Amino acid sequence: PYGGSDKSNNGHRYDSIPFANGMIAAGMSCQLIHYTHEEHDKFFELCKSFDFIIVRCNPGQIKADGGDQQKFDDGMREMRKLGKQVWPSPDVMEKMGAKDALCKVADMNIGLPDTLAYYSEEEFGAGFKKTMAFQPRVIKQNRGSSGEGIWIIKLKEGNYCASFGERCCEDGEKLMLMEANDNHEEEHTVAEFIEFCVNGRNDKSGEWTSKGVGKYLEGGKEAGGQLVDQRFCPRIVEGELRYNCVGDSLVGIIHKKPKEGGISAVGGTGSIYTYYGPDEAKFKNLTDGFLNKDLPLVMPALGLPEEPVPLWWTTDFILSSPEGTPAEEEKWIVGEFNCSCVGISRCLAAYCKDDTPNACYDDISAEDKAEADKYGKLMGEKALGI
């Protein structure tokens, strides 16, 4: 009823005002315009009048409204061909948001070399049986959100081999699985898990309590069908770090600690969030390495050498070092990049929900408005510079 699941009562996204004001403060004109699929051609004709476009429409909302996301994305690609900057462009959103982005940074300081991507049943079956026999794993589907289809997996017997490739799992070996969306646990055989991931619920995959339907490879690589296989880092129970960035500048760090007994720190699971400034000393090693060494290499590694880093985006990091590692030597690895309509959490009071149907910008506290405006101002400066 509010024009989407993340809108204020004016029909625009709840955090659009700081974005617009940031552009205006930098000396530019900035207009808020609605996209409605019934006026697709008129919308893109109007877009030609601007020098750049900031897209604040979550993927999935256009389709939910009866429109065509692909048609919208193709329209934005046409804007890029006309020389107009689009943040984020469909290609940047797709390639940064895809789970196989983790494979493309595997050899950087922020990656792990045994991070694999699977696009077919054959690749998945062979690769997973080999990695699973070596160490606990995290298997991530490409299309899910809020942790759905992200599985933390251990061998029930704990009989891991000493070196990678020494053995492969048998179909009948039992797995202990936890899904990151709600931290629920299931037990299945290797064969049942592979069957669920490939073909979903059927007699061969057994009974599942997951809210998801599996079929993670459906449609093939072109349709986003893929699975990423990453080493499980047990210290994730200590929490993960979210780096909030405006262009190439870090503006804040959030430490997200899972609820006691859980592994996922996805919102709504009882996780605890602690906020730090960009210069927090305890994370200096990660910050310096990420911003100065790896960040200039990320866009080329993702196949986007001509694109600037997104205007407003996040990177989630997981601690991979064993316990007892000195802070200055700790290794944090990327769990996920996100540039797909990242929210400014300081503006959440303007978010319409069933219990706040008239929420608007005036409902945001003065302190939170000031912080959001700081982000917006920096975005304006970065946008003007690009």
Side-chain angles (χ1 to χ4, degrees):
Y2 319 116
S5 60
D6 55 3
K7 303 296 190 290
S8 285
N9 69 356
N10 62 5
H12 288 287
R13 193 177 149 89
Y14 67 90
D15 52 7
S16 290
I17 289 177
F19 275 82
N21 284 341
M23 304 303 133
I24 293 165
M28 295 178 281
S29 162
C30 184
Q31 328 298 327
L32 300 184
I33 55 174
H34 282 291
Y35 173 81
T36 56
H37 64 89
E38 296 91 346
E39 297 183 318
H40 175 91
D41 293 341
K42 188 186 291 187
F43 174 87
F44 279 101
E45 192 59 38
L46 180 61
C47 284
K48 292 177 183 176
S49 308
F50 296 93
D51 297 303
F52 66 87
I53 301 156
I54 300 174
V55 180
R56 298 299 290 162
C57 185
N58 250 329
Q61 291 196 355
I62 290 171
K63 184 177 179 182
D65 191 46
D68 184 336
Q69 183 73 47
Q70 186 65 48
K71 186 177 178 182
F72 177 84
D73 289 348
D74 287 344
M76 286 300 168
R77 289 186 178 99
E78 287 303 313
M79 293 299 107
R80 289 294 289 124
K81 288 177 185 173
L82 293 174
K84 300 181 187 304
Q85 186 64 56
V86 176
W87 283 299
S89 75
D91 295 331
V92 169
M93 196 156 55
E94 182 181 310
K95 291 185 178 181
M96 287 197 85
K99 294 297 188 285
D100 66 354
L102 305 181
C103 306
K104 294 168 184 174
V105 300
D107 294 323
M108 296 184 193
N109 298 311
I110 52 171
L112 284 173
D114 59 335
T115 303
L116 307 174
Y118 308 121
Y119 305 99
S120 71
E121 181 177 357
E122 294 72 30
E123 284 178 326
F124 176 47
F128 175 67
K129 287 179 180 179
K130 190 175 177 181
T131 59
M132 192 68 245
F134 176 50
Q135 282 183 338
R137 311 302 296 176
V138 182
I139 299 292
K140 304 180 179 186
Q141 72 145 319
N142 187 40
R143 301 184 182 100
S145 61
S146 301
E148 192 261 307
I150 296 179
W151 296 97
I152 296 97
I153 312 175
K154 299 178 182 179
L155 290 176
K156 187 175 183 181
E157 298 298 322
N159 55 328
Y160 301 102
C161 57
S163 59
F164 183 59
E166 185 180 308
R167 82 173 187 94
C168 291
C169 285
E170 300 292 331
D171 281 344
E173 288 188 56
K174 291 286 179 67
L175 304 174
M176 303 298 296
L177 304 105
M178 177 184 281
E179 193 172 12
N181 60 333
D182 56 9
N183 290 327
H184 86 278
E185 296 181 357
E186 304 199 29
E187 182 179 316
H188 293 280
T189 66
V190 170
E192 285 173 343
F193 179 66
I194 292 173
E195 180 67 18
F196 178 74
C197 290
V198 175
N199 297 314
R201 299 171 191 268
N202 57 37
D203 291 343
K204 285 177 67 178
S205 64
E207 292 289 323
W208 288 76
T209 56
S210 170
K211 295 172 185 171
V213 297
K215 299 184 181 181
Y216 305 135
L217 300 177
E218 193 170 54
K221 186 176 181 179
E222 292 303 310
Q226 62 178 251
L227 283 164
V228 166
D229 179 348
Q230 194 174 40
R231 188 190 314 171
F232 173 65
C233 301
R235 292 184 70 185
I236 194 170
V237 297
E238 299 173 29
E240 56 188 277
L241 297 178
R242 169 160 288 186
Y243 273 42
N244 289 325
C245 294
V246 172
D248 57 4
S249 296
L250 177 65
V251 294
I253 301 169
I254 307 173
H255 180 255
K256 306 191 293 182
K257 189 177 188 305
K259 181 183 177 183
E260 195 66 36
I263 289 176
S264 171
V266 167
T269 59
S271 46
I272 300 163
Y273 284 32
T274 307
Y275 296 85
Y276 297 95
D279 301 317
E280 177 57 43
K282 67 173 77 176
F283 307 126
K284 185 178 188 305
N285 189 42
L286 168 61
T287 301
D288 289 348
F290 177 52
L291 295 182
N292 301 325
K293 294 176 185 172
D294 285 340
L295 185 53
L297 306 175
V298 167
M299 300 306 277
L302 297 179
L304 298 162
E306 305 302 317
E307 290 282 357
V309 291
L311 191 60
W312 174 235
W313 62 295
T314 65
T315 305
D316 289 346
F317 292 101
I318 303 163
L319 188 55
S320 68
S321 305
E323 285 191 58
T325 304
E328 64 275 9
E329 296 175 20
E330 284 183 333
K331 179 177 173 68
W332 292 82
I333 60 153
V334 172
E336 181 176 72
F337 296 116
N338 184 13
C339 66
S340 173
C341 216
V342 175
I344 299 179
S345 55
R346 298 278 189 163
C347 298
L348 281 169
Y351 188 143
C352 284
K353 301 185 293 297
D354 289 342
D355 57 338
T356 57
N358 298 309
C360 67
Y361 185 70
D362 291 338
D363 295 322
I364 303 170
S365 71
E367 179 188 349
D368 285 343
K369 273 183 188 172
E371 196 65 25
D373 286 346
K374 271 193 343 195
Y375 291 172
K377 188 177 178 200
L378 182 56
M379 285 182 220
E381 291 167 2
K382 291 285 182 184
L384 188 60
I386 293 170

